[in-house]
Amino acid sequence: MAYADIAAFFPILLKGAVVTVQITLGALLLSTLLGLLLALMKRSPLTPVSALAGTFINVIRGLPIIVQLFYIYFVIPELGIDLSAFQASIIGLGIAYSAYQAENFRAGIEAIDSGQIEAAKSIGMKSALIMRRVVLPQAIRIALPPYGNTAVMILKDSSLASTITVAEMTRAGQLIAASTFQNTTVYTMVALMYLALSLPLIFGVNRLERFFAKSRQGADQ
Amino acid sequence: MIAIDHIHKAFGATQVLKGVSLEVAAGEVVCLIGPSGSGKSTVLRCINGLESYDSGAITIHGQTVDVRRSDIHALRTRVGMVFQRFNLFPHRTVLENVMEGPVFVKGESRAEARQHAQALLEKVGLAEKQAAYPTQLSGGQQQRVAIARALAMRPEAILFDEPTSALDPELVGDVLTVMRDLAAEGMTMVVVTHEMSFAKEVADRVCFLYGGQIVEEGPASRVLSEPQNARTQDFLRRVLDH
């Protein structure tokens, strides 16, 4: 493992890391919006709406993410919609994780005691106001730790974008390794760089969990 | 003011209300008593539309209570409710809990709502707790905040659903004192309760429910001291034995 090699590979991998972060943030944003929509749909009193959301969530959870990526990257263009590999990876991961996000959000919303919702009704609040002032502020706190875990998983699974030619960190590593045969150096560097991104996130989630566990303990007193 | 006319209600196959009728005049305090499952809480919850009823009618000042109608929200602002389990918003301070309705439902200015909320907290004896969160309070204190929250909407009547049943015995007194003061001020109150001494002292009228019907009704002193109906006699004997 020569220092010269490391110095030469690092800028290339760093470029890949930037793409990795972009995919992660893009997919996180998309999965958040879509997941929230699905969670609200699933709670709808209209059966067709909740059934549609439920079916969507099950189908998405039942498919390997890599197959979803292939589908979006190779099949959608045949329908006449042009997507770059980068766009396809964000959309694919965003949709794939929206199903998990929806379950996170739903658990958060359902953890709110129905008595509070009745109390809100009893002072004349309408459902949208109850959502905004009573349910969501508390549901977000409950959903935050699992949300953080989902973010970590998206970060790691962004490496799947390498299979549809996106030059993110894993793909960058593959390309360097293929041309230099420095497998040990390259993949050790790739692994360490993923850890540099994921460990702070994991520690952050752990802190959040401890913080909320403590505040919940306070609630029992 | 509140007129309940022959309401029926079933949960699935179980008929919980079988033709309940009750009139509550402005300024009157009516206590609903009866064994659990008699339907007394359901009657209360129908009055402000937290529960729907299958047939019959409920009106408040002539306006029909109907869960499906859009005026139900406005109607609820006129009839407050206090719950057995307080149901305060745990993520908001005591003061914010009381201000929530006036600011976000009635559109009062924050300054105005704060002033009123502080006066109400003073009234229920919790002025010094306004910055606390509900979890930092005892059950009795939480219930008094819940009463202040209901009062903040300046309601014409307040419904109390077993307001002291979830409290430790030593905390019941403070809540009953607040309720007694409210009654003395002329607040219209419908109270589901197991506190017979409170009913005897404060209620203008007591209704005994059994099996989804009001089987005995009259002035508190008469119903509680000389019940006519065998069911009422039996119930009171059991309750007072405790």
Side-chain angles (χ1 to χ4, degrees), chain A residues 7-18:
Chain A
F9 300 160
F10 187 69
I12 306 171
L13 290 177
L14 198 61
K15 255 188 178 169
V18 171

Side-chain angles (χ1 to χ4, degrees), chain A residues 154-190:
Chain A
I154 294 178
L155 171 70
K156 292 188 295 177
D157 280 349
S158 68
S159 59
L160 290 169
S162 64
T163 60
I164 56 169
T165 75
V166 180
E168 45 65 72
M169 197 154 61
T170 304
R171 178 82 179 148
Q174 276 180 328
L175 293 175
I176 302 170
S179 56
T180 63
F181 302 107
Q182 300 279 346
N183 288 317
T184 310
T185 309
V186 171
Y187 288 119
T188 304
M189 285 178 77
V190 169

Side-chain angles (χ1 to χ4, degrees), chain B residues 87-234:
Chain B
N87 297 348
L88 294 178
F89 306 128
H91 57 306
R92 306 207 182 277
T93 64
V94 163
L95 187 68
E96 287 167 344
N97 264 277
V98 181
M99 289 170 61
E100 185 74 15
V103 171
F104 289 93
V105 178
K106 283 189 149 179
E108 280 180 24
S109 75
R110 282 191 165 271
E112 187 188 350
R114 176 175 291 115
Q115 207 172 18
H116 188 208
Q118 283 167 337
L120 290 170
L121 288 172
E122 182 93 38
K123 181 183 176 133
V124 299
L126 291 171
E128 79 285 5
K129 295 285 187 191
Q130 57 169 297
Y133 282 89
T135 51
Q136 298 168 310
L137 304 183
S138 73
Q141 291 172 328
Q142 289 191 50
Q143 193 60 298
R144 285 184 279 151
V145 175
I147 294 173
R149 176 174 67 183
L151 287 171
M153 299 301 285
R154 305 175 200 271
E156 297 160 42
I158 301 188
L159 313 172
F160 292 86
D161 190 3
E162 303 199 26
T164 58
S165 298
L167 299 178
D168 292 336
E170 77 272 18
L171 302 175
V172 169
D174 289 340
V175 172
L176 291 182
T177 301
V178 169
M179 291 172 65
R180 215 174 272 131
D181 291 348
L182 277 180
E185 287 167 22
M187 174 60 77
T188 310
M189 294 162 60
V190 184
V191 186
V192 170
T193 187
H194 293 293
E195 297 288 336
M196 293 306 144
S197 54
F198 172 81
K200 202 169 209 168
E201 182 195 344
V202 179
D204 297 303
R205 206 147 38 100
V206 169
C207 299
F208 175 73
L209 275 90
Y210 188 89
Q213 287 177 314
I214 294 178
V215 297
E216 184 158 4
E217 162 176 18
S221 54
R222 191 185 60 65
V223 175
L224 297 175
S225 309
E226 308 150 31
Q228 307 297 309
N229 187 291
R231 301 270 192 211
T232 320
Q233 292 167 356
D234 185 46

Side-chain angles (χ1 to χ4, degrees), chain B residues 10 20 23 31 62 153 162 186 204 226 230 238 241:
Chain B
V20 172
E23 297 245 356
C31 282
M153 299 301 285
E162 303 199 26
D204 297 303
E226 308 150 31
R238 283 170 203 231
D241 273 353

Side-chain angles (χ1 to χ4, degrees), chain A residues 115 118 121 123 133 138, chain B residues 45 76 87 90-92 100:
Chain A
E118 290 195 338
K121 280 185 186 169
I123 53 173
R133 296 286 309 169
Q138 299 183 72
Chain B
R45 293 164 57 82
R76 282 180 185 142
N87 297 348
H91 57 306
R92 306 207 182 277
E100 185 74 15

Side-chain angles (χ1 to χ4, degrees), chain B residues 2-11 14-23 32 38-60 64-68 190 209-214:
Chain B
I2 301 170
I4 303 175
D5 184 21
H6 265 90
I7 56 166
H8 284 79
K9 159 107 192 149
F11 287 117
T14 320
Q15 198 72 30
V16 285
L17 298 181
K18 302 171 188 163
V20 172
S21 296
L22 176 68
E23 297 245 356
L32 306 182
S38 59
K40 51 195 192 307
S41 283
T42 308
V43 172
L44 203 69
R45 293 164 57 82
C46 284
I47 296 175
N48 72 344
L50 282 184
E51 211 75 72
S52 61
Y53 48 92
D54 302 332
S55 66
I58 299 179
T59 56
I60 292 170
T64 304
V65 179
D66 185 342
V67 189
R68 288 155 303 180
V190 184
L209 275 90
Y210 188 89
Q213 287 177 314
I214 294 178

